[in-house]
Amino acid sequence: MTKSALITGAAKGLGAEIARSAAADGYRVALLDLDPLVLETASSIPGATGFVGTTTDAEFVDGVLDNFGTPDAVVNNAGIVRFGPLLDQALDQWRSVVDVNLTGTFIVARAVAKRLVAAGRRGAIVNITSMNGVMPGPNAGAYGSTKSGVSLLTKQMAVEWGPLGIRVNAIAPGLIDAGMSEPIYADPQIRALREARVPAGRLGRADDIARAVLWLLSDASEYITGEEILVDGGVTVSVIAGLPRPQSVDAVGVNPAAARPSNKEQ
Ligand SMILES: NC(=O)c1ccc[n+]([C@@H]2O[C@H](COP(=O)([O-])OP(=O)(O)OC[C@H]3O[C@@H](n4cnc5c(N)ncnc54)[C@H](O)[C@@H]3O)[C@@H](O)[C@H]2O)c1
């Protein structure tokens, strides 16, 4: 039987790539986005349906599910960022980021989970978090806190819904040259500086994220739930490795003449 998937924030960027990959993988897909461009994006994907509206409106989300049917898979990808120092962050900006990133994810996931449970069906959910939810980024306002919140929510849902047959995992993208980060990488100097910090040697692409998402939705990962996978080319694990050390210390073990026994760590 054909599986179906709902992808939020799918008008463009990572969501559109995830929707295209899911369709190529055989899913019947629904694309949901605030931006009417989603209708155009959906029309370019075989068998896809586009829905215009916000994930933060529970009634609208229910209407989408009434229309499309209950999907086997959900990708909570809709997200926004409002950059700026915390000291100057307007409260309405803070609240909008919390509302879309955290509350919107909850609304969509719960609406689908309720219907899956009522129908006695299994399902898989992937929430898109961020490297910024693992460690703070520059002037990222509420963004990192909401992604961190989604990360914990992912585990909470996995624990509560695992026995009901629903797996819930998260993908945390790193430095991705697509979507909301396009303006960042349009600056060649910033681009080069950031690229140099990636152990894998390049910025991430939308298809890097889509492949990881599709794998977590598939039965190939059927024993994995409550996990968050960083898809960041090694950026987050390279912080200490990027720190300089005095040459005298670094020489230990390299030049036996200069070597002295040491148990010291970095
Ligand atoms: N691009 C990156 O560098 C990067 C890195 C880490 C995490 N992410 C995350 O990946 C996800 C996708 O981001 P992107 O880079 O493709 O950004 P994007 O801005 O290109 O796409 C996000 C989409 O979500 C839609 N959207 C926003 N609020 C919505 C709402 N309330 N309801 C429905 N749709 C809504 C927007 O209209 C847009 O089409 C986000 O959750 C983002 O936080 C992106």
Side-chain angles (χ1 to χ4, degrees), residues 81-95 97-98 132 135-146:
V81 62
R82 297 287 178 262
F83 287 116
L86 284 177
L87 286 178
D88 302 330
Q89 181 91 179
L91 207 46
D92 61 339
Q93 292 213 334
W94 173 276
R95 286 195 169 119
V97 176
V98 173
N132 270 268
M135 46 185 63
N139 292 329
Y143 185 73
S145 306
T146 62

Side-chain angles (χ1 to χ4, degrees), residues 7-17 19-20 30-42 44-45 50-52 77-78:
I7 297 105
T8 70
K12 56 185 189 294
L14 306 187
E17 181 66 21
R20 277 191 286 271
L31 290 74
L32 184 165
D33 204 295
L34 267 184
D35 187 339
L37 174 69
V38 73
L39 300 178
E40 212 178 292
T41 309
S44 71
I45 300 174
F51 296 92
V52 182
N77 166 80

Side-chain angles (χ1 to χ4, degrees), residues 8-15 32-35 53-56 77-80 100 128-131 143 147 173-176 178-181:
T8 70
K12 56 185 189 294
L14 306 187
L32 184 165
D33 204 295
L34 267 184
D35 187 339
T54 174
T55 52
T56 57
N77 166 80
I80 58 171
V100 176
I128 305 298
T129 54
S130 171
M131 184 174 76
Y143 185 73
K147 293 298 188 177
L175 304 178
I176 308 297
M180 60 170 64
S181 296

